[in-house]
Amino acid sequence: MKAASTLAPRLAAAGIPGRIWERDAEIFAGPSPTAERLQSIRHRLGWLEAPDMATTWLDELHAFIWEIREAQLTDVYLLGMGGSSLCAEVFRDVPTARAGGTTLTVLDTTDERAIRHATEGLTPRQSLFIVASKSGSTIEVASLERHFWEQMKAAVGDDAGGHFVAITDPETSLGTLASKRGYRKIFINPEDIGGRYSALSFFGLVPAALLGLELEVIIASAQKMAGRCHANDEMNPGLALGAFMANEALAGRDKLTLLLSPAYEAFGPWIEQLVAESTGKIGRGVLPIVGEPIGRAGDYEHDRAFVVVLSTYAPGLANAIHELQAAGHPVFQIEATPADLGGEFFRWEFATAVAGHALGVNPFDEPNVREAKERTQAQLDARKARGAFRLEPPFDKGQGYSRREHRSEAAPAPPPERRRYVAILDYLPRDPRRADVVAKLRAALRRRARLATTYGIGPRYLHSTGQYHKGGPNTGVFLLMTAVDESATPVPGTEYTFSTLKMAQALGDFEALSAAGREVVHYHLEDPATDYTEALERVLRSFK
């Protein structure tokens, strides 16, 4: 925390914590903001009151859980993307006290293999689907809802509505659809809470309740942290963390490397989305490095800052902290038990707001996300009109796979203090074994080229790091990988399959990255199981 000492007092002296609580939009709006921009920012600050607001929902949530248990709906499937799904995964995977025998499967994908696996594993009479979308129109969520609604209608007929729950904002198309179809329950979330700041709203608390977590403990932890974040000094935990992130990024250490105790490993992807999507814009930002194997201190370049979350004593992490600090790397330590989970959600939300102000960005918008969505739709429209995508794989035939690349000549080179990073973007059929291959590649790239790496599964990453890829510093090298799916499941009510949709999303993102002047290589693999390792080895050799 020593590295943040020059920034945190200045932020405190400027009254930034108090101004955040007062919803002072001017500290996020930049020079000469319009009234519309200021109002838009104010309308995204509802997360500040979420811990207190959540106490008013407890009776409703407890009654809902009692009803679900009475109906013996034990197999819960969450259909959501980004902020609507990542917090649920945290609640599911962080080991905390819980009651009941509910299981939770998160489907934030358009991957044929994952969807088929979930479909084949359904026990309809005990299945409950949470359809979660703030906007109510997210294409992945709408497509999954259509698919599983058709499955449930075929299995239980007119009782299908009793197996569905919606979480959405007021007056959305999802809310209208849920009413029409007779969903068991519709949770209307406060519309002034943005998706990636929604962990302590219905988007997080409904899955937490279904998992049997003690909501009172989660909310009390969040309220306690919110109280501490009112302090206008360095004892404010959100201010301290936010100042650390911003101070290091401004000094060229913009790769925020997360080292997490096993109990908090599931927290990493949620932090990744929150920080990357909130800060990665107008050529600035903090890039979270999540899931990278821990290395020796000498393996890391001086573009790194480290946040270590210690839950229980972990000798490996303790040794890593000592080595990193001895080598001069800045390290911010957080001690948190699973019982502190609600508070940690709030700490990071407040810290990200602080960092956004210090970096001069609005942490509550996502200006580059829409382009990838529009290009996806354009790819679908092109395929419908002429039977082919605008970019049609496979490309030039290679040895087992083909490749297309874009290397921007017009985009300015990054300043010398901004080191490159490699982003592996995976649209291949789901295969858990691939994680080991990716981990080895990431460790090798760090060891041989001292490069930071990220790993994103498409289309999930489009709702997470996708904003940073296009809006953050132009320092990324993007390796986008696709393949032909082994099946083709129609999306009811459309002219395309999930496989078509996934390819359109991959190609749309390739176009969006290219348009943003990014260096992007697209590998189309004919046989992912055998070609993946070879493709990554070629990538590794190119960085020697």
Side-chain angles (χ1 to χ4, degrees), residues 100-418:
T102 302
T103 63
L104 174 64
T105 300
V106 174
L107 289 169
D108 54 352
T109 183
T110 49
D111 178 59
E112 289 274 356
R113 187 178 289 175
I115 295 167
R116 189 182 70 225
H117 178 77
T119 303
E120 292 174 349
L122 283 179
T123 304
R125 289 291 176 186
Q126 63 192 46
S127 295
L128 177 71
F129 293 87
I130 304 173
V131 187
S133 172
K134 175 179 171 63
S135 68
S137 59
T138 309
I139 190 169
E140 299 94 338
V141 179
S143 300
L144 289 165
E145 192 276 347
R146 290 171 179 171
H147 170 77
F148 285 106
W149 177 262
E150 188 174 84
Q151 298 295 315
M152 293 301 292
K153 282 288 288 184
V156 301
D158 292 341
D159 293 335
H163 293 262
F164 283 79
V165 171
I167 308 174
T168 190
D169 276 9
E171 300 181 0
T172 67
S173 57
L174 173 56
T176 301
L177 178 70
S179 295
K180 180 180 178 181
R181 289 188 164 175
Y183 277 22
R184 179 181 288 271
K185 178 77 174 177
I186 304 173
F187 290 96
I188 301 299
N189 212 60
E191 61 182 341
D192 61 352
I193 299 179
R196 57 187 176 275
Y197 291 82
S198 64
L200 297 168
S201 71
F202 281 128
F203 284 103
L205 296 179
V206 170
L210 286 166
L211 286 165
L213 274 64
E214 297 181 46
L215 298 183
E216 290 82 357
V217 173
I218 295 168
I219 294 169
S221 170
Q223 289 178 314
K224 181 179 178 180
M225 181 61 72
R228 294 176 63 196
C229 286
H230 275 87
N232 199 45
D233 55 41
E234 293 174 75
M235 298 304 293
N236 179 322
L239 175 66
L241 175 58
F244 175 84
M245 290 194 291
N247 190 77
E248 297 309 321
L250 291 169
R253 291 180 177 267
D254 58 348
K255 315 301 188 302
L256 188 73
T257 304
L258 302 177
L259 304 181
L260 308 174
S261 289
Y264 265 84
E265 284 181 354
F267 204 50
W270 180 84
I271 295 173
E272 180 181 48
Q273 186 216 13
L274 175 70
V275 174
E277 194 168 45
S278 296
T279 67
K281 53 203 74 169
I282 60 173
R284 307 171 192 170
V286 176
L287 178 65
I289 307 298
V290 177
E292 183 188 57
I294 297 177
R296 306 279 301 180
D299 291 341
Y300 296 105
E301 187 57 77
H302 296 295
D303 60 349
R304 303 274 195 148
F306 295 83
V307 172
V308 181
V309 179
L310 291 169
S311 180
T312 56
Y313 177 69
L317 280 182
N319 292 337
I321 293 170
H322 176 75
E323 283 191 15
L324 291 167
Q325 290 176 327
H329 290 293
V331 178
F332 189 102
Q333 296 183 51
I334 295 173
E335 294 186 4
T337 69
D340 299 321
L341 185 56
E344 290 309 306
F345 278 124
F346 193 89
R347 182 208 298 261
W348 280 91
E349 289 172 352
F350 199 89
T352 301
V354 169
H357 162 73
L359 292 170
V361 301
N362 174 10
F364 308 113
D365 66 357
E366 46 285 323
N368 299 98
V369 169
R370 180 176 297 277
E371 182 186 3
K373 295 179 181 179
E374 292 172 348
R375 290 181 182 276
T376 292
Q377 188 59 55
Q379 290 284 0
L380 291 172
D381 293 343
R383 186 173 177 87
K384 179 181 178 182
R386 62 186 183 88
F389 293 117
R390 295 198 300 196
L391 299 172
E392 184 70 10
F395 308 123
D396 298 330
K397 288 291 183 181
Q399 296 181 357
Y401 58 92
S402 51
R403 161 180 173 147
R404 173 190 292 269
E405 65 181 280
H406 169 83
R407 297 182 185 273
S408 174
E409 302 296 338
E417 70 273 13
R418 290 289 190 261

Side-chain angles (χ1 to χ4, degrees), residues 427-488:
Y427 284 87
L428 304 175
R430 187 186 71 159
D431 186 349
R433 296 169 298 180
R434 196 174 300 130
D436 291 336
V437 178
V438 172
K440 291 177 182 176
L441 173 73
R442 296 181 70 182
L445 277 171
R446 181 185 59 216
R447 184 176 62 254
R448 299 184 191 183
R450 296 168 68 87
L451 287 171
T453 57
T454 64
Y455 178 55
I457 298 175
R460 172 180 173 138
Y461 76 81
L462 295 174
H463 301 261
S464 179
T465 53
Q467 167 61 42
Y468 186 97
H469 292 166
K470 272 83 77 175
N474 188 11
T475 53
V477 179
F478 300 92
L479 310 175
L480 194 155
M481 299 194 174
T482 61
V484 175
D485 281 316
E486 58 199 26
S487 59

Side-chain angles (χ1 to χ4, degrees), residues 56-69:
T56 68
W57 300 334
L58 284 172
D59 288 345
E60 180 181 6
L61 288 167
H62 286 314
F64 170 68
I65 295 307
W66 179 259
E67 179 183 329
I68 295 303
R69 289 177 180 168

